[in-house]
Structure formats: structure tokens, C-alpha cells
Amino acid sequence: MGAPRLSSTPLPGIGVRYDLTTREHRRLSVIAHRDGPRTISAYREDDPDACAMSVRLTAEEAATLIDALMPAHHNPNLLSTTGLGLVAERIELTAASRWNGRLLGETRMRTETGASIVAVLRRAEAIPSPTPDFRLAGGDTLIVIGTREGVETAAAILGRE
Amino acid sequence: MHSSAVFLIEFGCIILVLGLLGRFAGRFRFSPIPLYLLAGLAFGNGGLLPLGSSEEFVAIGAEIGVILLLLMLGLEYTASDLVTNLKTHYPAGLVDALLNALPGAALALLLGWGPVAAVVLAGVTWVSSSGVIAKVLGDLGRLGNRETPTVLSILVLEDLSMAVYLPILTALLAGTGLASGSVTLAIALGAAALVLVLAVRYGRHISRFVSSDDPEKLLLVVLGLTLLIAGLAQQLHVSAAVGAFLVGIALSGEVADGAHSLLAPLRDLFAAVFFVFFGLNTDPASIPPVLLSALALAAVTACTKIATGYWAAKRAGIAAKGRWRAGGALVARGEFSIVIAGLAVAAGVEPSLGPLATAYVLILVLLGPLTARYTEPLATRLLRHRRAQLAAKPDDTTPLTASAHETISDQDAVGHA
């Protein structure tokens, strides 16, 4: 099995279509529209000429998707992993979150999970080392560092509504 | 002072009505072209509201509309797109021209309209609407389909053919004799060939000359250059539209993209004015007498387009379902048919031609998106039915081989045409 090959077909007036046939003989294509958007399509197995799914992405959406498709990248929220078994993740509080308007101390995060909230991102500013009397709000992004299990539990706690 | 007020009121009303119609069409996701034509019929000549002071401006606006339509079409393609398409897909282009131009020409001769009208009607039935078809393919999520490049290359070839067809038509309509007619034609073809060569070799230099970081200057330079070349082409009896198309071809890369986005709103405005103008010059009362011919012509040329697409897709190695989809997608006629008919009407050829073309385009621009959607499921169902009947015959118990299957679908394509 050779290296995967991306073949291209010009679509005059629209852009270029790039085709990829996977190792499992499934076909995928990406249309690069001249004005920026991308259309990603997967083909039907009973009618290989037709698309089973065809989704149009804006330039930003395509960039986000590429990020997730990078083989080196294992989790879109992941900041970094270390050899010490610690992970750091960005966890967002929704507007419907139980913690919206409550104090950070009320989550009893460090006691329950051993994970630390090292910073809070709120709109354009970052609040480093928030204290237990820090008041959380919906839309905050918390940076949590801990063991894999600790961070998972933290995500579950922070996800409560 | 007073007449300028009347002009503003009239023109404002037209544009406003078009805007509202466009919104209405957008809600139901179909092309606004038929509505613009109907609006044109409703205003003006024989309609509900005769226009006075804005008529002249609308006429000039319509001319600019045609020029911008063609310029934008030229901007969509690069010269190398055109050359590659011409090299690899010319058989499909020829089949397309033969199958679809002949019914129009035949009808004109049958009605006793003479050879010039036959050439006009041939053009009207030949050319599909690139605008409508590209939009429908996008809406149906078929841009990624394997038959789509075939469909698009047929559209490209048709557009390119217009660079040859329009000057011929202009020469015929001008009624020039054989000698001066062929000189005009030679000039036109020479100009088209020269621009193609220049665009392939020196497109970058031309684009660099036109290029500007400031959108305002880019807009003015491109628009000015286009109108100038279109005017010169008109002077040489080559057709202003072809001049504009060639300017579009010569521009490439960043300049083409920039000009495309800057000119799109202008094109939309003036193209709408153009469709209205065409409707304005058609008396609604003249449509019912030609409606039957229009319906018959629409039915025949819908089938010939489906056959064209089927054949082209088969040639490109697409399976049966894709062939039907390609055929169905090509049915819509639109802006070009009206451009061609508009030239003939302006030259005073056969009074019934305008109404016939209007009715014909109205029918097919509405039918086109439907055939694009339903031709394949319908054909597949009919074929399955037929195969079941064949299989039910007592003496025909052998299972159908792949080649037999092939023949059946071919017969059906011919039967359909």
C-alpha cells in the first residue's frame, strides 16, 4: 500500500475538487471554492458517483476541522501533555451551568479531584490563579491541570447544570 | 426637473418590485429570472403600467446588463480552463450543439420564419443557463459528484461557443452581404483567437496592468476597460457582449477574483434591468398564440438536453444513475437565450420570436431545477419496471448480463429523446 494520493479535478467557475481514496476504498472529496469556503463530501457505496453527504464549511470551520484531523492532535481542548502523566484542558462553563454565579470554592474542585484550576479566561482577559472566592460566570473557560482521571472528573463536575 | 422626478419614481418602482420579487424567489429557492421577465411583461408595452421617461434609461441599463453578464462569465473562467475543456470535451460540445440547436432551427423553419430566425432560435434552444445550473447543483449538494465536472465542461464549452456564435448572429442580423459578413466574421474569430492566445501567454501582464489594491480604482479600471472594448467590438459589428466576455477571459488570478466580487452587485442590478427590459418590449397579449409552440419546443429540447448529458456522462465513464443526473441538470435555459433573443428583437426579426423566447425560457427556467432533481429517480424507477417486465417473460429466463443491462438503458435514452 503506497502513500495516500490526493488527486485534483478542476471545476471551472467553481474551484478545484480534491479526491482521496482511503485504505478501506472509501472515497472522500474536498471542493476548494475559489472564494474561500470548502465543501467536504463522502460518497455512497451503492452509487459511487453520488455524494451521500456534502457539507459546506466556511474558512474558519474548515480550519477548526483541520485542527481536529491533525494526527498529532488528540483532543481539541488539550493544551499540552507531559511525560509526568499530567494533562491540561480548557473546559467551558455554559450559560445554563450550575456554577454560573457561584464561588469557585463551592466546586470543591481540588478536594474532590486533585485537579487545579490554574486560570480563568473571560472574554478578552485571563485571570491567573483564581482564589476560592472567585465568582464564576457562564461563558468562562477554565484551564484545569491534573491527572487524566482528575481532569475528567473535573469536567463532569463543571458540566453539572 | 419634473421629468427627472417622474423618472426617479418610475425607476424606483421597478427596482423595488424586482427586489421584492427576488426575495420571494429566494424564499422558495428558485431562480428570480422568470419573475423578472413576468415583471417586465406587467410593466410597459401592452402591460398594466406603461413607462414614460424611464424607458430610455432602462434600455441603456439593459445593454450594460448584457455586457456585465458576459464580463462576469469571462471572469469565472481562466483561458487555460477554456483551452483544456476545448481539447478534452469537444465531442460533448458538438453533440450538445447538434442535438439542441437543431430543434430550435427546425421549429423556426416550420413556422416559416426564414433562415435568420432559424439561427436565432437555434441559439435560444442550444445554450443552458450556467447561472441557474451552478446554483441548482450547489443546492442539491452535487458539487462533489463525479458527473459534475462533465456538466460544467459542457457549460464552459457553450459559453465559449457564444464567442463564435454571437458575432455570426450579429453579422446575420445586420443583414450585411456575404462579403462584408465574412469580413466581420473573420475579424470576430480573429479577435477571439487573439485574445485567447494573449490571455494564455500574457494574462499575468494584463492583469498586473489592471491590478490595484484600491477597490475603487480596480472597479473603475475594469468597468471602463470593459465598456470601451465592448463599444469597440460593437463598432466592428462583433457584438459588444463578446468583447466583454473576452475582457473577462483576459483577466485572471487575483484581479479576476477582486473584480468578480466588486462587480457582482452591479451585474445583479443591471442584469435584472435587462430581463425587465426584455419583458417590457414583449406585449403579453402576443404570448398565448405562441404558447403551444413554446411548450412543444420546451418538451423536445428538455429531452435532447437530457440525452446530451446522458451521452457526455457515459463518455466520461459515469454509471447510469449519474448519467441521468447529468442530463437532468442541463435542462435549464435562461440568461443566454434571452440575450440571443434580445439581439434578434432589437434587430426587428420576426415579431413572434420575442414572445416565443420569453415563454420558452419561462417554462424551462422553472422546469430545469425540477428535472435536475427528479430525472434520475424517475429514470431508475422506469428502468427497474421495464427490467421486471422483461424478466417476467417466460422465454427470457436467462439473467441479464451487464452488457444487456447497458443496451436497455441506451435504448431508453434514445426513446426518451
Side-chain angles (χ1 to χ4, degrees):
Chain A
M1 198 84 192
R5 224 184 112 257
L6 203 60
S7 64
S8 70
T9 313
L11 296 180
I14 292 173
V16 182
R17 192 185 74 204
Y18 298 97
D19 294 286
L20 178 74
T21 305
T22 67
R23 188 185 277 266
E24 291 158 350
H25 299 288
R26 294 301 306 269
R27 287 184 53 234
L28 283 175
S29 80
V30 172
I31 297 168
H33 295 261
R34 273 190 335 193
D35 45 350
R38 297 289 187 264
T39 300
I40 180 164
S41 307
Y43 291 81
R44 294 163 62 127
E45 288 192 272
D46 58 332
D47 179 4
D49 298 328
C51 299
M53 176 212 78
S54 197
V55 183
R56 194 179 163 101
L57 304 170
T58 65
E60 292 79 23
E61 288 158 353
T64 313
L65 191 62
I66 288 167
D67 217 24
L69 285 172
M70 290 303 277
H73 200 168
H74 295 296
N75 186 319
N77 290 322
L78 207 61
L79 291 178
S80 66
T81 54
T82 68
L84 302 171
L86 289 182
V87 295
E89 250 187 58
R90 305 157 69 105
I91 297 170
E92 198 176 328
L93 289 186
T94 61
S97 169
R98 167 189 177 148
W99 308 109
N100 186 357
R102 300 198 186 200
L103 295 181
L104 178 57
E106 290 178 57
T107 63
R108 297 172 48 78
M109 184 64 68
R110 196 167 305 172
T111 323
E112 301 277 337
T113 69
S116 298
I117 294 171
V118 296
V120 177
L121 310 178
R122 179 174 290 176
R123 286 189 289 279
E125 59 173 336
I127 299 124
S129 313
T131 50
D133 58 354
F134 179 83
R135 198 170 287 284
L136 295 164
D140 284 351
T141 299
L142 312 186
I143 310 252
V144 184
I145 292 187
T147 57
R148 167 54 49 204
E149 299 76 38
V151 171
E152 293 298 335
T153 321
I157 292 174
L158 291 170
R160 282 182 199 157
E161 296 194 346
Chain B
M1 194 61 210
H2 177 68
S3 77
S4 94
V6 175
F7 161 73
L8 288 178
I9 291 169
E10 280 186 5
F11 195 59
C13 280
I14 297 178
I15 299 290
L16 183 64
V17 166
L18 292 185
L20 295 176
L21 288 174
R23 247 164 77 170
F24 180 76
R27 178 161 303 171
F28 296 96
R29 308 192 77 170
F30 66 88
S31 163
I33 295 174
L35 293 183
Y36 294 162
L37 281 172
L38 287 175
L41 285 175
F43 290 121
N45 210 345
L48 306 169
L49 282 170
L51 291 181
S53 48
S54 57
E55 196 133 354
E56 203 174 319
F57 182 80
V58 170
I60 294 174
E63 205 152 313
I64 296 179
V66 173
I67 290 172
L68 288 177
L69 270 175
L70 270 288
L71 170 68
M72 299 291 279
L73 201 63
L75 286 176
E76 301 249 321
Y77 306 129
T78 63
S80 54
D81 273 348
L82 295 182
V83 173
T84 333
N85 258 292
L86 196 59
K87 274 187 193 150
T88 50
H89 297 287
Y90 71 92
L94 282 179
V95 167
D96 179 40
L98 280 178
L99 280 183
N100 296 292
L102 287 181
L107 181 72
L109 292 177
L110 223 66
L111 293 171
W113 286 358
V116 176
V119 174
V120 175
L121 211 53
V124 170
T125 55
W126 173 13
V127 194
S128 301
S129 166
S130 327
V132 172
I133 292 169
K135 186 169 175 297
V136 167
L137 288 177
D139 286 350
L140 293 176
R142 287 197 195 156
L143 287 180
N145 280 18
R146 272 187 59 214
E147 77 273 7
T148 297
T150 309
V151 172
L152 294 175
S153 62
I154 289 179
L155 295 180
V156 175
L157 282 178
E158 284 178 355
D159 295 343
L160 187 58
S161 313
M162 285 299 103
V164 179
Y165 171 85
L166 285 178
I168 298 179
L169 184 65
T170 330
L172 281 175
L173 290 174
T176 45
L178 196 64
S180 64
S182 41
V183 169
T184 309
L185 198 59
I187 294 176
L189 297 183
L194 186 70
V195 168
L196 270 181
V197 170
L198 283 180
V200 171
R201 292 252 168 98
Y202 305 106
R204 251 182 306 148
H205 299 285
I206 302 171
S207 300
R208 198 179 304 150
F209 164 72
V210 174
S211 173
S212 167
D213 288 335
D214 184 0
E216 181 183 334
K217 284 166 200 145
L218 181 64
L219 176 69
L220 294 180
V221 170
V222 172
L223 191 60
L225 186 68
T226 307
L227 292 180
L228 177 69
I229 301 280
L232 289 176
Q234 183 99 302
Q235 242 352 286
L236 294 172
H237 298 288
V238 175
S239 152
V242 170
F245 179 67
L246 292 177
V247 172
I249 296 294
L251 297 180
S252 60
E254 218 172 290
V255 176
D257 289 347
H260 198 277
S261 54
L262 282 172
L263 287 165
L266 264 186
R267 187 261 325 254
D268 293 344
L269 171 64
F270 284 107
V273 169
F274 164 70
F275 288 117
V276 170
F277 176 72
F278 189 79
L280 276 180
N281 283 347
T282 309
D283 186 347
S286 64
I287 288 192
V290 295
L291 198 57
L292 264 184
S293 331
L295 272 172
L297 192 59
V300 170
T301 55
C303 294
T304 53
K305 268 291 179 199
I306 293 176
T308 305
Y310 188 96
W311 185 85
K314 187 178 175 199
R315 192 175 158 266
I318 307 294
K321 281 184 172 185
R323 296 175 198 167
W324 290 115
R325 278 193 300 267
L330 281 167
V331 169
R333 312 293 205 283
E335 58 275 12
F336 256 124
S337 304
I338 295 293
V339 168
I340 294 166
L343 284 173
V345 169
V349 178
E350 189 51 46
S352 307
L353 205 148
L356 178 66
T358 313
Y360 175 77
V361 169
L362 277 175
I363 296 166
L364 282 188
V365 79
L366 290 174
L367 189 67
L370 296 178
T371 57
R373 172 76 186 79
Y374 295 108
T375 302
E376 183 256 308
L378 209 67
T380 310
R381 184 177 295 182
L382 287 177
L383 284 179
R384 193 180 304 148
H385 187 68
R386 183 124 152 221
R387 212 171 305 151
Q389 274 185 340
L390 280 180
K393 276 189 191 167
D395 56 346
D396 192 15
T397 45
T398 47
L400 288 171
T401 61
S403 68
H405 176 143
E406 202 74 12
T407 332
I408 288 169
S409 45
D410 281 357
Q411 279 168 353
D412 215 74
V414 175
H416 222 273

